[in-house]
C-alpha cells in the first residue's frame, strides 16, 4: 500500500509512468524492513537503479547520480521511518533560491519556477528567526502528478505537494508555510506515538501562523485561522463533540487486528492542537517570551521523539513562576482535560483582528443574497485587493446563503471573473460548489474541468457529494465525469467516489 504506481494517464505529461511512496503513518514497513514507529529515529542510505529516461529523488541530505542511471542517497540526520520517501519519474528541477529548488514533470517546471522563485527563502528565514537554525540543508519542493490525493507531505529536504498549488498568480504560495514549519515541529521534534499526533500538527499550525503573521500581518492570519476553526466546527458537528477521536491524546487500542492510525486522522490534532499551543502562549502572556520558549523547546528535543508529558513538563520547567501558580490545573483548563477530554477546545485564541477583513466580505455576501440586487452598493465594494482567504471567506458565506434568488449567481459570475474564472484551486472548489448548489447548468463545464485537472481528495469528494445530492442533470454530470476521470484518480479516491455514487467498490 506504500508504493503508488501511476500509469502515464495519471501524470501531468501523460507520456511515462511514475512511482512514489507515502510512508505516513505506518506504511513504510511494506517498503523496507524497519521499526515503523515514530519513536525510533535513524539515518539511512539508499542505492536506486532506474531505467533510462527516469530520475530518482529521495528525502535525503545528499544524493549523486552514478553511471548506468544509478542514484545514491544519504540522510545524515536521524529521522523516523515515516519520513523516508522515494519518487521515480520523468522529472526535472529548477533553482528557486540559495538552498531550494522545485522538481516537477517537464510540462510543469516553468510554472513551478515562476510561482516559487524567491518565495521559499523568505519563509525559511522567518522560520529560522523564530524557531532556530534550519538543520536539513536543502528545502526542495516536488510537485506531484495531478492524481496525488494529498495537499502536501513534509518529507525532509523534499516536500511533496499537490500541483493544485500552481495557481499562476502566487495566490496559494503560503500553503507551503505549513510544510516548512514541519522542519522544526514533526521532523526535528517528533511525536513518539501516533496517539499524540497533535504534537506534530498543533505545534506546526501554531508555527505556520507565527510565520504568516510576520510575513502577511495579523489580520490576514486571523482570517486564515478562522477558516481553520470553521473546519473544526464542521468536523465536530459531523462526528459529535464527545467522539473519542476528538481528544488530543487518542487511545489507539489494538482490537482483534489492531487499528490503523490513518483512521484517526481528522481536524482535531491540527486545530484543537493549535488552540492548546495558543493557550500555553496565553498563559505566558508575552509573544516574544513564548517565541523564545519554542526555540528552547526545539533545541532541547531536536532529533528526539517525545510525548505530551515531555512537552508540558518542559514548559513548566521553563516557566517556574507558572508552575508555582499551578497553571496545569486551573479549573476547566487543566492540561489533563485538554489532553484526555473529547470536545470543543476550552480556550479559543482571539481572532478579532481578522474582523477588518471579514466584515466587508460578510456585507458583500449579504448584498448578493438579496431578492433585488442593489448594484450601486455592490459596485462600491472593490475586491481587487482581496487575498485568497478573504475571497474564500466571501465564497463560503455565499455558499451558506445558497441557493440565491434566481439570476443572482449568474450576475455574480459576470461581475467577478477574478473568482469565476480563477485558476486558484481553493477558489475553484468553492465556485464549483456554488454552481452546483444554485443549479447553474451554464457553468457545469467548470466543475467538469476542475475534476479533470486534479485528483486531490479534499477537492474531489465534496464536489461528487454536491453533484449526487443535486438535480438529475448534476447526477448525470457526476456519472459522466467519473467514468472519464476514474483512471487518473488514486485508487482510494476512486473507491470513495464509488461509495458516494452508489457503485460497488472492488475489494
Amino acid at each position: 500500500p506504500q508504493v503508488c504506481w501511476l500509469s502515464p494517464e495519471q501524470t501531468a505529461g501523460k507520456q511515462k509512468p511514475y512511482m512514489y511512496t507515502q510512508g505516513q503513518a505506518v506504511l513504510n514497513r511494506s517498503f523496507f524492513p524497519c521499526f515503523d514507529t515514530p519513536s525510533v529515529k535513524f539515518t539511512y542510505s539508499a542505492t536506486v537503479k532506474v531505467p533510462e529516461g527516469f530520475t530518482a529523488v529521495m528525502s535525503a541530505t545528499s544524493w549523486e547520480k552514478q553511471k548506468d542511471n544509478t542514484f545514491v542517497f544519504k540522510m545524515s540526520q536521524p529521522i523516523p521511518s515515516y519520513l523516508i520517501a522515494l519518487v521515480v519519474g520523468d522529472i526535472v528541477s529548477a533553482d528557486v533560491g540559495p538552498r531550494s529548488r522545485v522538481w516537477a514533470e517537464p510540462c510543469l517546471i516553468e510554472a513551478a519556477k515562476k510561482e516559487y522563485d524567491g518565495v521559499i527563502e523568505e519563509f525559511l528565514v522567518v522560520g529560522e528567526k523564530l524557531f532556530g537554525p534550519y538543520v536539513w540543508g536543502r528545502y526542495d519542493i516536488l510537485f506531484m502528478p495531478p492524481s496525488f490525493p494529498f495537499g502536501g507531505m513534509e518529507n525532509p529536504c523534499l516536500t511533496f505537494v499537490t500541483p493544485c498549488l500552481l495557481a499562476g498568480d502566487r495566490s496559494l504560495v503560503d500553503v507551503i508555510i505549513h510544510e516548512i514549519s514541519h522542519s522544526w515541529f514533526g521532523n526535528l521534534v517528533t511525536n513518539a506515538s501516533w496517539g499524540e499526533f497533535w504534537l506534530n500538527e498543533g505545534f506546526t499550525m501554531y508555527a505556520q501562523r507565527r510565520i504568516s503573521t510576520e510575513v502577511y500581518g495579523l489580520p490576514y492570519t486571523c482570517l486564515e485561522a478562522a477558516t481553520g476553526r470553521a473546519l473544526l466546527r464542521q468536523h465536530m458537528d459531523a462526528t459529535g463533540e464527545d467522539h473519542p477521536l476528538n481528544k488530543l491524546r487518542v487511545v489507539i487500542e489494538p482490537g482483534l487486528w489492531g487499528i490503523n492510525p490513518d483512521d484517526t486522522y481528522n481536524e482535531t490534532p491540527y486545530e484543537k492542537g493549535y488552540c492548546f499551543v495558543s493557550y500555553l502562549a496565553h498563559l505566558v502572556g508575552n509573544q516574544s517570551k513564548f517565541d523564545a520558549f519554542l526555540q528552547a523547546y526545539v533545541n532541547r528535543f531536536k532529533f528526539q521523539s517525545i510525548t505530551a508529558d515531555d512537552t508540558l513538563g518542559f514548559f513548566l520547567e521553563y516557566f517556574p513562576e507558572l508552575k508555582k501558580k499551578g497553571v496545569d490545573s486551573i479549573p476547566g483548563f487543566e492540561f489533563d482535560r485538554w489532553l484526555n477530554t473529547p470536545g470543543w477546545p476550552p480556550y479559543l485564541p482571539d481572532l478579532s483582528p481578522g474582523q477588518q477583513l471579514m466584515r466587508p466580505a460578510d456585507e458583500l455576501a449579504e448584498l448578493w443574497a438579496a431578492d433585488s440586487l442593489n448594484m450601486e452598493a455592490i459596485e462600491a465594494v472593490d475586491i481587487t485587493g482581496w487575498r485568497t482567504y478573504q475571497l474564500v471567506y466571501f465564497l463560503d458565506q455565499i455558499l451558506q446563503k445558497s441557493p440565491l434568488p434566481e439570476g443572482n449567481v449568474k450576475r455574480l459570475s459576470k461581475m467577478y471573473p477574478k473568482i469565476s474564472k480563477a485558476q486558484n484551486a481553493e477558489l475553484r472548489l468553492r465556485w464549483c460548489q456554488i454552481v452546483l448548489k444554485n443549479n447553474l447548468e451554464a457553468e457545469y463545464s467548470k466543475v467538469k474541468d476542475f475534476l479533470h485537472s486534479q485528483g486531490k481528495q479534499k477537492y474531489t469528494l465534496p464536489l461528487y457529494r454536491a453533484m449526487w445530492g443535486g438535480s438529475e442533470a448534476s447526477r448525470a454530470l457526476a456519472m459522466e465525469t467519473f467514468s472519464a476521470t476514474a483512471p487518473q484518480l488514486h485508487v482510494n479516491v476512486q473507491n470513495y467516489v464509488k461509495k458516494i455514487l452508489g457503485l460497488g467498490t472492488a475489494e
Side-chain angles (χ1 to χ4, degrees):
Q2 143 67 339
V3 184
C4 303
W5 303 93
L6 304 186
S7 61
E9 58 263 34
Q10 289 174 302
T11 68
K14 307 207 181 304
Q15 302 298 310
K16 292 182 179 177
Y18 194 101
M19 187 277 280
Y20 70 89
T21 68
Q22 168 62 28
Q24 196 172 358
V26 290
L27 293 178
N28 267 343
R29 60 186 74 181
S30 68
F31 169 39
F32 59 92
C34 60
F35 292 108
D36 203 2
T37 158
S39 63
V40 176
K41 292 191 173 186
F42 47 82
T43 58
Y44 80 88
S45 61
T47 306
V48 185
K49 185 172 198 286
V50 301
E52 271 311 312
F54 289 88
T55 299
V57 289
M58 289 190 80
S59 52
T61 39
S62 77
W63 66 280
E64 56 169 312
K65 185 178 175 183
Q66 299 182 340
K67 59 178 189 310
D68 59 5
N69 234 28
T70 299
F71 295 83
V72 177
F73 301 95
K74 278 195 182 65
M75 170 48 91
S76 55
Q77 316 276 28
I79 57 171
S81 56
Y82 74 90
L83 290 175
I84 293 183
L86 165 70
V87 159
V88 179
D90 178 15
I91 50 174
V92 291
S93 68
D95 286 327
V96 291
R99 45 185 162 171
S100 304
R101 58 173 85 91
V102 287
W103 291 89
E105 294 178 62
C107 60
L108 290 179
I109 196 70
E110 271 314 301
K113 182 173 166 55
K114 208 171 115 204
E115 199 88 354
Y116 279 86
D117 213 0
V119 169
I120 297 169
E121 188 59 24
E122 180 186 6
F123 297 152
L124 282 175
V125 166
V126 176
E128 289 189 302
K129 190 181 91 184
L130 290 170
F131 314 121
Y134 177 77
V135 303
W136 307 99
R138 296 199 64 81
Y139 187 90
D140 290 2
I141 303 182
L142 174 64
F143 289 89
M144 300 293 278
S147 60
F148 186 58
F150 314 104
M153 179 60 215
E154 68 273 12
N155 302 311
C157 310
L158 186 69
T159 286
F160 292 8
V161 292
T162 169
C164 295
L165 295 190
L166 300 174
D169 57 3
R170 297 197 163 186
S171 55
L172 285 177
V173 293
D174 56 349
V175 174
I176 206 69
I177 299 177
H178 181 85
E179 308 308 333
I180 286 175
S181 300
H182 271 304
S183 306
W184 292 272
F185 304 97
N187 295 7
L188 194 52
V189 180
T190 308
N191 49 230
S193 95
W194 293 118
E196 296 195 318
F197 187 45
W198 78 274
L199 286 175
N200 278 16
E201 295 299 347
F203 274 90
T204 294
M205 292 305 292
Y206 188 86
Q208 166 199 322
R209 289 172 179 154
R210 279 296 294 121
I211 294 176
S212 165
T213 299
E214 295 288 307
V215 178
Y216 299 116
L218 189 59
Y220 184 71
T221 303
C222 288
L223 179 61
E224 185 273 327
T227 316
R229 187 179 296 177
L231 288 173
L232 181 65
R233 187 68 272 169
Q234 277 168 23
H235 158 72
M236 289 209 177
D237 289 346
T239 55
E241 280 198 20
D242 52 2
H243 192 287
L245 291 183
N246 292 332
K247 297 192 290 197
L248 289 182
R249 185 182 274 154
V250 176
V251 182
I252 301 184
E253 280 286 320
L256 184 56
W257 300 107
I259 181 171
N260 184 345
D262 280 350
D263 297 339
T264 68
Y265 176 87
N266 62 54
E267 295 295 335
T268 299
Y270 290 79
E271 295 295 345
K272 188 176 180 177
Y274 165 72
C275 289
F276 189 20
V277 181
S278 301
Y279 176 64
L280 297 177
H282 161 76
L283 288 174
V284 174
N286 173 312
Q287 187 66 60
S288 54
K289 272 188 183 165
F290 191 70
D291 289 346
F293 159 73
L294 288 177
Q295 210 168 120
Y297 168 72
V298 170
N299 196 37
R300 168 75 177 77
F301 294 114
K302 58 178 186 248
F303 302 117
Q304 296 177 50
S305 301
I306 64 171
T307 64
D309 294 342
D310 297 322
T311 300
L312 297 170
F314 181 70
F315 175 76
L316 293 172
E317 187 186 309
Y318 188 88
F319 294 109
E321 67 284 8
L322 293 180
K323 185 178 183 169
K324 213 158 100 191
K325 267 171 47 189
V327 294
D328 54 337
S329 50
I330 297 169
F333 301 95
E334 300 89 346
F335 288 1
D336 186 76
R337 176 182 169 174
W338 273 102
L339 295 175
N340 298 312
T341 307
W344 195 243
Y347 168 88
L348 295 169
D350 172 23
L351 302 180
S352 58
Q355 280 301 328
Q356 64 183 79
L357 299 176
M358 289 180 219
R359 205 171 301 111
D362 280 324
E363 287 162 5
L364 186 59
E366 283 292 329
L367 290 170
W368 278 106
D371 282 329
S372 61
L373 292 176
N374 177 349
M375 289 316 290
E376 196 183 335
I378 285 173
E379 281 162 8
V381 183
D382 178 16
I383 68 163
T384 49
W386 289 13
R387 302 214 15 249
T388 301
Y389 280 104
Q390 197 171 7
L391 291 166
V392 160
Y393 181 82
F394 166 66
L395 292 178
D396 281 343
Q397 305 316 303
I398 293 285
L399 186 59
Q400 272 171 18
K401 298 175 194 305
S402 291
L404 300 188
E406 188 66 33
N408 287 16
V409 175
K410 208 170 161 179
R411 294 203 56 183
L412 185 122
S413 173
K414 232 194 179 116
M415 172 111 183
Y416 306 130
K418 172 180 177 167
I419 290 172
S420 59
K421 293 191 164 73
Q423 282 309 295
N424 177 314
E426 293 288 330
L427 299 179
R428 286 176 84 178
L429 166 67
R430 282 153 178 98
W431 184 249
C432 290
Q433 288 173 307
I434 289 166
V435 163
L436 292 166
K437 190 100 179 262
N438 289 277
N439 273 332
L440 193 63
E441 287 187 35
E443 298 208 11
Y444 274 8
S445 62
K446 288 187 176 156
V447 180
K448 200 162 87 178
D449 292 346
F450 186 44
L451 289 169
H452 273 265
S453 74
Q454 55 78 40
K456 185 179 167 184
Q457 189 170 308
K458 192 177 143 190
Y459 299 148
T460 302
L461 302 185
L463 290 180
Y464 277 103
R465 285 193 198 105
M467 285 188 280
W468 202 243
S471 62
E472 278 303 300
S474 78
R475 285 186 150 210
L477 176 71
M479 283 302 198
E480 175 208 334
T481 308
F482 182 59
S483 65
T485 58
Q488 69 190 40
L489 293 174
H490 186 280
V491 60
N492 291 357
V493 180
Q494 277 181 36
N495 285 334
Y496 288 136
V497 175
K498 283 179 184 168
K499 253 195 200 125
I500 294 167
L501 305 182
L503 307 165
T505 60
E507 275 305 310

